[in-house]
Amino acid sequence: MTTRIETFRALHRGRLPGDPLVLPGPWDAASARVFAAAGFPALATPSAGVAAALGYEDGRTPADEMFAAVARIARSVDVPVSADLEGGYGLAPKELVERLLETGAVGCNLEDSEGGVLKDPRRHAEWLAEVRAAAGDRLFVNARIDTFLHGADDPDQAVGRAALYVAAGADCVYPILAPAGVLPLLRAGIEGPVNALARYGEGPSPAELGEAGATRVTFGPGLLHAASDAVRQAAARIRG
């Protein structure tokens, strides 16, 4: 029988241009069920979305509450779930891996900045290698690259970090906020899958991001924001 991690890995292989793996971002069990029922083959939680659902600012969710939220999401659906674990909450790699596996998730995002400052890429790669060693083949590791997020717009910096992270064992890299026009350059310089951020309701579309070089597309907290807008409109109608 194919396991969820095997299914998740397979979803990243053989993607054709214009047909990236699209991973909606559930923030709770109810939204996860909606996305799974819509036919998406896997999901990827956004830390900012989960934080908002739990009443925290982005980056302020206690580790225990984040893992508990991921567990509720993972057990509510029959499709693979990857979890945004921010910077790892200061946990040792082995503890981080074991706690994530306990939730039922099969993958994680791990970012390379802290407090708005980019981490030393070689030191971060060493940490990712420890995560990989602790996880073995049990987790799909998506290494987020925060250069574009923090104003370093040189694609070569992102490509250099990506090479280190892939060599350390990352299964995918995520140059968050990379402009669509830069994706072809990143695709040409990066070995393995590339994750791109789509903005719900705006361009480029997931298909266009795929044409530009994205293997998979995620939305961050964008779908939570869309749902909040719908609730806000409903509330206004009721009040009116």
Side-chain angles (χ1 to χ4, degrees), residues 175-202:
I176 188 170
L177 294 185
V182 173
L183 279 176
L185 295 175
L186 299 178
R187 174 69 284 165
I190 293 174
E191 180 181 349
V194 174
N195 190 145
L197 176 69
R199 296 184 180 277
Y200 177 74
E202 304 176 22

Side-chain angles (χ1 to χ4, degrees), residues 4 32 44 57 113 120-121 138 145 148 152 173 187 189 203 227 232:
R4 289 192 185 188
E57 295 295 321
S113 67
D120 177 86
R138 297 178 295 170
I145 299 171
F148 295 98
V173 295
R187 174 69 284 165
R232 192 175 298 111

Side-chain angles (χ1 to χ4, degrees), residues 126-152:
E126 292 171 358
W127 182 76
L128 287 174
E130 293 181 36
V131 172
R132 175 84 281 157
D137 61 1
R138 297 178 295 170
L139 287 176
F140 188 98
V141 177
N142 187 32
R144 203 178 88 176
I145 299 171
D146 290 356
T147 53
F148 295 98
L149 178 64
H150 296 306

Side-chain angles (χ1 to χ4, degrees), residues 4-103:
R4 289 192 185 188
I5 180 58
E6 291 171 337
T7 297
F8 194 60
R9 288 188 186 281
L11 288 169
H12 291 78
R13 301 188 191 113
R15 308 302 308 192
L16 297 174
D19 182 33
L21 173 61
V22 178
L23 299 173
W27 52 92
D28 60 13
S31 58
R33 290 193 182 108
V34 169
F35 295 137
F40 291 98
L43 308 175
T45 70
S47 62
V50 173
L54 294 175
Y56 293 101
E57 295 295 321
D58 186 21
R60 299 296 183 89
T61 308
D64 289 349
E65 293 198 44
M66 183 62 77
F67 285 117
V70 171
R72 287 191 293 272
I73 289 168
R75 71 169 177 255
S76 71
V77 294
D78 293 326
V79 299
V81 173
S82 182
D84 185 346
L85 296 186
E86 303 177 287
Y89 306 110
L91 300 173
K94 187 176 187 301
E95 182 180 359
L96 180 70
V97 166
E98 294 304 325
R99 293 194 66 176
L100 179 59
L101 288 171
E102 288 172 0
T103 70

